[in-house]
Amino acid sequence: MKRIIVFALTACLTASLAPDSGHTDDLRVISLEARLLPREAPAARELDILMEKDGRLYIVSTPRDRATLDALGIRFAFEPSYSGLPAAGPAAAGGGLNGDYHSYPELEAELLELEAAYPGLAAVHILGQSLEGRNIYGLKISDNVGLDEDEAEVLFLGCHHAREWISVEVPLLIARHLLENRTVDSRVRDVVDRSETWIVPLVNPDGLEYSIHVYRYWRKNRRANDDGSFGVDLNRNYGYEWGRDNSGSSPLPQSAVYRGTAPFSEPESAAVRDFVGLRSFLGLVSYHSYGQIILYPWGYARIPVEGEGAERMKALAEGMSGRLEAYRGTRYAFGQASYSLYLTNGDTTDWAFGDHGIPAYTIELSPVSDQDGGFFNAETEILPIFYENLEAALYLIEDCIAVYVPPATDGRAENRPDNRASGGARGGR
Ligand code: 0X9
Ligand code: CA
Ligand code: ZN
């Protein structure tokens, strides 16, 4: 959800509206003249704006939204529903239903292929299951991948939000790049060998499948809510300052930013929580789209982030932005989320930094705005977007390697299988 626009009259208007069933069938894409709805106007934070094109604003609307617009006298038109099936063509024929983008089964197959092709370097882990029983996969990449070595750990997450297809591709391509280039690129070799990099490209598999097969604009997971609506916003379901207020997330199940019934009520966010709790990450990126901006905590309030780790976190955001821009001139802004974007509570990065002290970033991938295509990146843009983001990712991993301090050894390091191996070899000389 790029912009959550609120206009002043909504609060009093919505109270008098008929209850909104929020069934997916009731969601309709509408369009209206952009000048009728000033973007900066304070109010209707529920509006889920997709894009602006030729002076018209396209919005995923609930019956409640439409009633609100009616009440405000703002005229809108219904748009034909786009199911997500690409027009017939070479991409569709060659790349499956969603062209070069990955569906859940395609991603699963590719992760297993990478593991098979690079047995010592790549290992597929299952972090948990989605509501509908799909696996949430993590690919670990490192030398001696089967061992838990004393190396810097870094985490890249993708696709909390179903319709942000590019956010699956970027982390997956990072994984592939590290594996394919380790023997030919010494920088990649250092990164692979001196870190344990984890790639979790698809946090919301049920939502992605729904977006591909049923409704392209789907955002949330597929929780059947009590009121008959579907979906919890996984990026409002994490446990740090969860539900702090109703502007950073919504208590209404039919809302696009519904926070769920409790922190980590959803198996998808709970899987990330449990996984991160078992490891010691020194950096985390959660890819989203769109906006071309690198955001760090806090998102929950306009309180400057400070204290331990905050300075490194800010400096790294600037560093990533610079590396990325150097690649081909694409500008990614950077800043604290609550100042640079809008308030959010219960997002991944606030929790990662707040509960674990991990420098954590939301990277909103291209394009920069809804006027440049919003969630719909051409397939030809996938690789260039990946390559420029690779620069930022490598920079982050290298910094994690640089600051990593191995746990103090007490002279009994022989208890750790990995150290015993190298220590033994050296000791034998
Ligand atoms: O609203 C979100 O969850 C993210 N944007 S998106 O358009 N991909 O949905 C932004 C989250 C940014 N994080 C914070 N503001 N804390
Ligand atoms: Ca290793
Ligand atoms: Zn998102």
Side-chain angles (χ1 to χ4, degrees):
M1 146 136 351
K2 255 346 294 166
R3 267 163 234 256
I4 303 174
I5 294 189
V6 187
F7 42 95
L9 292 172
T10 309
C12 42
L13 286 168
T14 48
S16 62
L17 298 173
D20 178 359
S21 77
H23 285 283
T24 304
D25 290 351
D26 301 333
L27 294 177
R28 294 291 304 272
V29 178
I30 58 170
S31 71
L32 49 86
E33 277 185 55
R35 61 174 178 83
L36 298 177
L37 192 57
R39 299 298 202 98
E40 342 50 56
R45 67 190 159 75
E46 301 299 338
L47 279 190
D48 190 2
I49 295 179
L50 286 170
M51 60 185 156
E52 182 176 332
K53 223 177 169 179
D54 305 328
R56 292 188 77 76
L57 221 45
Y58 293 78
I59 298 167
V60 181
S61 67
T62 62
R64 175 197 294 265
D65 296 331
R66 298 192 289 272
T68 303
L69 292 169
D70 280 340
L72 288 168
I74 296 179
R75 296 180 49 167
F76 57 85
F78 286 98
E79 293 293 322
S81 236
Y82 170 46
S83 71
L85 307 183
L97 258 186
N98 59 341
D100 291 346
Y101 291 92
H102 285 74
S103 64
Y104 170 76
E106 289 164 350
L107 174 76
E108 180 176 59
E110 190 155 326
L111 292 174
L112 293 170
E113 271 168 36
L114 286 173
E115 180 185 56
Y118 300 96
L121 298 173
V124 173
H125 291 246
I126 295 175
L127 311 188
Q129 264 90 34
S130 68
L131 273 172
E132 294 175 354
R134 295 184 178 87
N135 291 328
I136 297 165
Y137 286 108
L139 187 71
K140 180 185 174 188
I141 298 172
S142 190
D143 66 342
N144 309 315
V145 72
L147 297 176
D148 186 1
E149 297 189 295
D150 288 340
E151 291 170 346
E153 298 179 29
V154 194
L155 176 60
F156 296 90
L157 300 164
C159 205
H160 278 74
H161 292 142
R163 62 195 174 192
E164 298 168 13
W165 293 3
I166 186 70
S167 76
V168 178
E169 304 308 313
V170 166
L172 181 61
L173 283 163
I174 291 173
R176 178 172 281 287
H177 183 88
L178 294 180
L179 294 169
E180 287 180 344
N181 290 280
R182 178 175 169 278
T183 52
V184 297
D185 180 333
S186 62
R187 184 180 182 200
V188 170
R189 175 185 284 267
D190 275 354
V191 159
V192 170
D193 290 4
R194 300 179 63 195
S195 79
E196 295 185 336
T197 292
W198 287 80
I199 311 277
V200 181
L202 181 48
V203 174
N204 182 9
D206 301 349
L208 178 68
E209 286 299 291
Y210 196 78
S211 170
I212 294 170
H213 293 275
V214 184
Y215 189 71
R216 177 66 180 84
Y217 309 118
W218 193 251
R219 167 181 169 94
K220 301 184 284 182
N221 75 350
R222 290 295 299 163
R223 166 71 68 187
N225 297 319
D226 281 350
D227 68 345
S229 70
F230 284 88
V232 168
D233 184 347
L234 295 177
N235 211 30
R236 301 292 183 277
N237 192 239
Y238 285 75
Y240 192 82
E241 294 286 344
W242 177 88
R244 174 183 170 107
D245 59 43
N246 292 343
S247 52
S249 66
S250 175
L252 305 175
Q254 69 270 24
S255 164
V257 290
Y258 176 45
R259 64 173 83 109
T261 53
F264 298 112
S265 58
E266 304 312 296
E268 297 89 354
S269 51
V272 175
R273 173 199 60 195
D274 294 345
F275 171 63
V276 170
L278 290 171
R279 314 230 52 95
S280 324
F281 290 110
L282 292 173
L284 178 158
V285 173
S286 182
Y287 291 105
H288 285 257
S289 77
Y290 47 91
Q292 287 179 202
I293 186 164
I294 300 172
L295 300 163
Y296 52 82
W298 305 116
Y300 76 90
R302 297 207 170 91
I303 300 170
V305 69
E306 47 197 21
E308 215 194 324
E311 291 316 310
R312 173 173 174 248
M313 184 160 71
K314 292 183 210 171
L316 283 177
E318 180 168 9
M320 285 193 281
S321 169
R323 301 308 160 107
L324 197 154
E325 184 170 359
Y327 182 76
R328 60 163 181 167
T330 308
R331 174 83 193 141
Y332 276 53
F334 59 93
Q336 184 175 327
S338 49
Y339 297 109
S340 303
L341 198 61
Y342 42 70
L343 292 181
T344 60
N345 50 54
D347 98 321
T348 313
T349 61
D350 276 9
W351 165 79
F353 187 70
D355 271 15
H356 292 285
I358 304 169
Y361 306 90
T362 301
I363 299 190
E364 298 279 1
L365 297 165
S366 292
V368 72
S369 79
D370 44 36
Q371 291 156 68
D372 308 299
F375 300 106
F376 315 103
N377 296 293
E379 291 168 297
T380 52
E381 273 298 298
I382 297 174
L383 275 178
I385 291 171
F386 152 66
Y387 275 116
E388 62 197 8
N389 274 278
L390 174 66
E391 296 300 321
L394 289 173
Y395 169 82
L396 176 66
I397 301 171
E398 285 171 340
D399 190 81
C400 292
I401 291 170
V403 301
Y404 176 72
V405 180
T409 50
D410 57 0
R412 300 198 301 135
E414 65 275 9
N415 289 331
R416 284 196 305 273
D418 41 323
N419 280 3
R420 186 171 61 221
S422 63
R426 239 174 258 130
R429 274 168 220 277

